[in-house]
Amino acid sequence: MNMKRRNNMENMDRKKIGKIAGVVVIALLVVLVLSQIFSRSPKDCVKDFYKAEQKTSASDMLDLVPKKHQKALMKEYDLSKKELKEAVQDYLNDNLDEWEAFYGDNVKVKLKFKNKEKASRDDIKTANKALKDADVNLKVKKSYTYRINLTFTGDDSNESTSDIAYAIKIGGKWYSSEAINFVTIAAAS
């Protein structure tokens, strides 16, 4: 009887362990799927840069810049996090003022993607060397170049132009090269 009871208990323990393992696997899959759904794509980085400019949102612009780079800028220019955000906001406001002077009020930016090119290993090596030479402690893992058409429309006029935008992968996340430049210039101003 003791042997039979012990076998039954062992079978129940194995079943519990199997169920727990199944729940853990499902939870991990859900986390993985959600992280893919809610992570920013390279194309989103380009879109989000222009959205942040149009909305004049310092928070949105800073979200497109690696925290490590923000900290380096704060250290280099002796800024607090709040002061960096204010500098970015001021620069965004100045940018919008320029747009409004040229296009009139209610400026909207429409973005159209023409094509995308993945950077070669040599291009990434060159980019990382340039970052190192500029004392920017970031390491690019991947990069895409987007050829885009931009249309700026305001109350007074509009203009269409072609441009190039870059999305770069640093530390497993995608960022906007333009946002990094924008924030760096804002911090130095």
Side-chain angles (χ1 to χ4, degrees):
M1 184 90 168
N2 276 342
M3 188 66 130
K4 195 175 190 181
R5 187 183 303 177
R6 188 166 46 180
N7 283 342
N8 283 341
M9 290 176 69
E10 286 176 4
N11 285 338
M12 287 183 1
D13 287 343
R14 286 185 192 137
K15 286 180 183 177
K16 285 181 185 177
I17 291 170
K19 286 179 183 179
I20 291 170
V23 169
V24 169
V25 167
I26 290 170
L28 288 173
L29 287 172
V30 167
V31 168
L32 180 64
V33 168
L34 289 176
S35 70
Q36 291 300 314
I37 290 171
F38 293 110
S39 66
R40 184 183 303 133
S41 74
K43 194 173 184 178
D44 288 341
C45 291
V46 174
K47 288 179 188 176
D48 291 348
F49 171 73
Y50 290 101
K51 284 180 187 175
E53 271 193 310
Q54 185 174 321
K55 290 178 7 184
T56 63
S57 172
S59 295
D60 290 352
M61 186 65 72
L62 287 166
D63 284 344
L64 296 166
V65 177
K67 300 286 186 225
K68 185 177 184 180
H69 187 61
Q70 291 179 41
K71 288 178 184 177
L73 291 172
M74 289 186 290
K75 183 178 180 183
E76 181 175 347
Y77 297 107
D78 194 28
L79 299 170
S80 67
K81 189 174 185 174
K82 181 181 177 186
E83 290 169 327
L84 177 62
K85 186 174 182 179
E86 288 171 354
V88 171
Q89 188 62 58
D90 289 344
Y91 199 60
L92 283 164
N93 291 341
D94 291 346
N95 190 52
L96 181 61
D97 289 344
E98 287 180 27
W99 286 358
E100 288 176 341
F102 194 75
Y103 305 111
D105 292 337
N106 302 310
V107 178
K108 303 288 182 215
V109 181
K110 185 178 176 187
L111 175 67
K112 184 177 179 183
F113 289 87
K114 291 168 65 175
N115 71 357
K116 166 178 117 172
E117 291 178 34
K118 184 177 179 180
S120 69
R121 286 184 178 164
D122 287 340
D123 290 340
I124 291 173
K125 283 180 186 177
T126 301
N128 283 325
K129 185 179 181 332
L131 289 170
K132 185 178 179 181
D133 291 347
D135 290 328
V136 177
N137 192 17
L138 298 174
K139 185 166 171 86
V140 176
K141 301 286 184 185
K142 271 184 164 179
S143 177
Y144 287 102
T145 301
Y146 290 92
R147 297 195 187 290
I148 56 176
N149 284 335
L150 295 167
T151 302
F152 296 87
T153 305
D155 290 345
D156 298 339
S157 68
N158 63 49
E159 177 184 32
S160 292
T161 185
S162 294
D163 204 355
I164 295 174
Y166 303 92
I168 55 178
K169 192 171 194 176
I170 298 170
K173 293 184 179 179
W174 287 99
Y175 297 99
S176 164
S177 178
E178 287 71 26
I180 292 169
N181 291 336
F182 191 98
V183 170
T184 300
I185 292 167
S189 300

